Amino acid sequence: MKGKSLLQEADILPVEFYQRSNVLQIAQQLIGKILCTRIDGIVTAGRIVETEAYAGIHDRASHAFGGRQTARVAPMYAHGGISYVYLCYGIHHLFNVVTNKADIPHAILIRALEPVWGIEAMRERLTVSNPGRSIAANDMTIARGPGKLSRALGIETRHTAMSLMGPEIQIMDDGFRQPARSVMRGPRIGVDYAGDDAALPYRFFVKDHPAVSGRSR
DNA sequence: CGACCGATCGTCT
DNA sequence: GACGATCGGTCGA
């Protein structure tokens, strides 16, 4: 029960962590933290190795660009410290962390995790969604990519606008510190539609990590 | 390896 | 009626 005790001893990030104004700083600081879910009674967790910041109403890549207010994006306008989950391509659920104060719609997409706890359950969920495909017990790619991450942790759209300190979703600090020189920065993935903002270096990732999606250098 | 393609559906125009 | 903050498969070099 080594892993479990590690999770129990980790500290849940306080709401103040999320309510700060610098979304890029928070995206960088989320690298190395642990995202944990307890969904359908199953505990799964992974260390965050890749994030992307979405910087509010002036960011063309953000769902809140131009101050857009719809039912789907409403959680982005709430106070920091909750989730924003939406369905992408009709297939994938993408999990975001909402930051800043109310009415400032900053968010951070969690793009990849290194599996830490509940790996059997993650493998089972991926197998159910992708029958006939075998997954090795030590596969480091079961939460590589924002769609796979949500699948592995059981996150769906019903988990949008949910507290990140709550019983079902938590982000924790277990004391691990990712060395600063191993945290890389570059343009976000899949936002070509965003014009000039597509080139902004708002993506953070652990250099050469096998659980990082896309380019890892 | 890289390029391309189909799946699949809620959301917004 | 069009379009994705994706993924896994295929095809060709």
Side-chain angles (χ1 to χ4, degrees):
Chain A
M1 290 297 154
K2 187 177 178 184
K4 186 164 190 172
S5 65
L6 277 176
L7 286 183
Q8 288 171 342
E9 290 167 15
D11 297 318
I12 296 173
L13 292 180
V15 71
E16 292 79 15
F17 178 89
Y18 303 100
Q19 296 196 337
R20 293 172 295 158
S21 59
N22 190 336
V23 67
L24 295 172
Q25 180 185 47
I26 301 171
Q28 187 167 29
Q29 291 176 350
L30 281 173
I31 299 290
K33 302 299 189 293
I34 293 181
L35 172 59
C36 178
T37 61
R38 186 187 189 102
I39 290 168
D40 302 327
I42 301 170
V43 177
T44 47
R47 195 175 302 281
I48 297 170
V49 295
E50 183 181 1
T51 62
E52 280 179 358
Y54 287 82
I57 64 174
H58 302 298
D59 181 356
R60 297 193 97 86
S62 171
H63 290 170
F65 175 69
R68 186 165 60 164
Q69 294 255 16
T70 64
R72 183 182 64 153
V73 304
M76 296 183 78
Y77 290 85
H79 58 82
I82 67 169
S83 60
Y84 166 50
V85 182
Y86 70 95
L87 183 65
C88 186
Y89 293 99
I91 301 173
H92 304 290
H93 302 281
L94 270 56
F95 173 81
N96 294 256
V97 168
V98 174
T99 68
N100 217 310
K101 308 291 187 186
D103 299 324
I104 304 176
H106 289 182
I108 299 164
L109 174 67
I110 309 301
R111 288 194 55 91
L113 305 175
E114 173 187 323
V116 167
W117 185 254
I119 295 174
E120 286 305 309
M122 296 190 213
R123 291 172 65 212
E124 173 63 19
R125 283 172 174 146
L126 291 181
T127 300
V128 167
S129 68
N130 217 336
R133 188 162 165 274
S134 69
I135 304 168
N138 62 348
D139 191 336
M140 287 293 282
T141 73
I142 56 177
R144 185 175 72 180
K148 290 179 72 177
L149 170 165
S150 295
R151 178 72 66 185
L153 295 205
I155 296 170
E156 301 175 4
T157 51
R158 68 188 176 86
H159 299 106
T160 197
M162 198 167 272
S163 170
L164 301 178
M165 291 137 281
E168 294 181 83
I169 306 175
Q170 300 170 346
I171 302 181
M172 300 182 290
D173 181 351
D174 69 343
F176 174 79
R177 291 292 176 271
Q178 188 69 46
R181 70 180 165 280
S182 65
V183 179
M184 301 290 106
R185 198 179 161 174
R188 294 171 292 189
I189 292 175
V191 296
D192 294 342
Y193 58 86
D196 292 342
D197 290 346
L200 293 172
Y202 285 4
R203 171 175 177 253
F204 298 88
F205 58 96
V206 177
K207 184 181 182 183
D208 294 328
H209 196 291
V212 167
S213 72
R215 208 177 290 275
S216 66
R217 309 180 63 94

